[in-house]
Amino acid sequence: EADIYQTPRYLVIGTGKKITLECSQTMGHDKMYWYQQDPGMELHLIHYSYGVNSTEKGDLSSESTVSRIRTEHFPLTLESARPSHTSQYLCASSEYLSGEGQDTQYFGPGTRLTVL
Amino acid sequence: DQQVKQNSPSLSVQEGRISILNCDYTNSMFDYFLWYKKYPAEGPTFLISISSIKDKNEDGRFTVFLNKSAKHLSLHIVPSQPGDSAVYFCAASGNSADKLIFGTGTRLQVFP
């Protein structure tokens, strides 16, 4: 099981502000992910990283950006927040389970963002 | 087009009984399936997984069954407990093994 931390847990902010959502994991996992989820909807992958200096966009288009300068840290930034960015943002990292022969993702507690 | 479908948005079960949550998928390239449990305002918690070489995997009160020909999997919880009340997400991955596709979730309520 991964120890993944996200801060802040809740954020209410005005339109136009720049925000950074923090995500850290202590397990040394190379692969990390950001998902966005709205109530009653599925999780959508918006960014992922396979290691330091590697970042890719996910299946859902997002105006956010990410960076991966250190293995344990994968922050997400919105340069100018808008009400349409209101959502829950979930960070995950993955561990290879040899018994299953597959990567399994473990999630942080999430950040609920509200943009007024 | 949703590749992973959870057609029941909610399920209510009495404590001690069996809970059965269903999930259907359309992509035959999926070969690894996972179930996550999510409480409000928290991140999903990994419950159990199954790879396509198996048709059943069991972990305590949780069992996942996979029917590849029907492209269907189910999560059985027995006996159900009030603490099991949460939203359960089914997820699948394929060739790109670590890109998970999620269903929309089923809200399980276990009442006394």
Side-chain angles (χ1 to χ4, degrees):
Chain A
E1 184 104 13
D3 291 324
I4 303 178
Y5 308 95
Q6 289 187 246
T7 57
R9 293 292 311 278
Y10 302 90
L11 179 62
V12 181
I13 201 163
T15 297
K17 299 290 187 184
K18 177 180 178 179
I19 60 167
T20 297
L21 308 183
E22 301 289 348
C23 175
S24 296
Q25 50 97 4
T26 59
M27 301 299 289
H29 292 166
D30 287 326
K31 297 176 182 177
M32 297 188 73
Y33 314 83
W34 275 102
Y35 291 85
Q36 185 175 340
Q37 194 218 358
D38 295 315
M41 303 294 289
E42 62 266 52
L43 283 71
H44 288 289
L45 181 68
I46 52 175
H47 298 283
Y48 60 99
S49 167
Y50 288 161
V52 171
N53 294 324
S54 154
T55 61
E56 300 287 344
K57 288 190 178 294
D59 300 324
L60 181 68
S61 175
S62 174
E63 294 168 346
S64 58
T65 59
V66 292
S67 61
R68 190 88 184 276
I69 299 173
R70 301 198 316 266
T71 297
E72 64 271 22
H73 197 213
F74 191 39
L76 179 145
T77 298
L78 275 166
E79 289 293 332
S80 180
R82 293 206 298 269
S84 60
H85 296 139
T86 295
S87 189
Q88 186 178 34
Y89 292 83
L90 295 158
C91 180
S93 69
S94 66
E95 177 181 48
Y96 181 79
L97 297 183
S98 58
E100 296 288 348
Q102 296 277 5
D103 286 282
T104 295
Q105 293 187 24
Y106 298 95
F107 286 81
T111 294
R112 180 159 296 280
L113 172 67
T114 302
V115 183
L116 304 175
Chain B
D1 182 32
Q2 258 192 306
Q3 298 185 69
V4 178
K5 300 178 184 179
Q6 294 177 258
N7 293 318
S8 297
S10 63
L11 176 66
S12 188
V13 173
Q14 189 173 29
E15 181 178 7
R17 303 273 188 161
I18 185 171
S19 295
I20 301 176
L21 298 104
N22 293 304
C23 179
D24 297 292
Y25 62 95
T26 58
N27 190 338
S28 58
M29 299 302 292
F30 288 149
D31 58 7
Y32 188 47
F33 305 88
L34 307 91
W35 284 95
Y36 288 86
K37 172 182 178 180
K38 187 179 185 296
Y39 294 116
E42 292 188 14
T45 301
F46 171 69
L47 275 177
I48 193 169
S49 62
I50 189 167
S51 62
S52 59
I53 61 173
K54 299 179 182 177
D55 55 18
K56 177 183 174 182
N57 191 24
E58 191 172 353
D59 184 1
R61 296 186 298 115
F62 302 92
T63 303
V64 56
F65 295 92
L66 176 63
N67 183 333
K68 291 184 288 294
S69 60
K71 295 192 180 67
H72 177 84
L73 65 154
S74 60
L75 174 68
H76 292 210
I77 307 173
V78 56
S80 301
Q81 300 172 354
D84 296 330
S85 298
V87 177
Y88 288 79
F89 288 94
C90 169
S93 66
N95 286 338
S96 182
D98 48 5
K99 279 191 163 185
L100 291 180
I101 306 297
F102 282 84
T104 52
T106 295
R107 181 176 299 280
L108 173 65
Q109 183 179 6
V110 180
F111 59 93

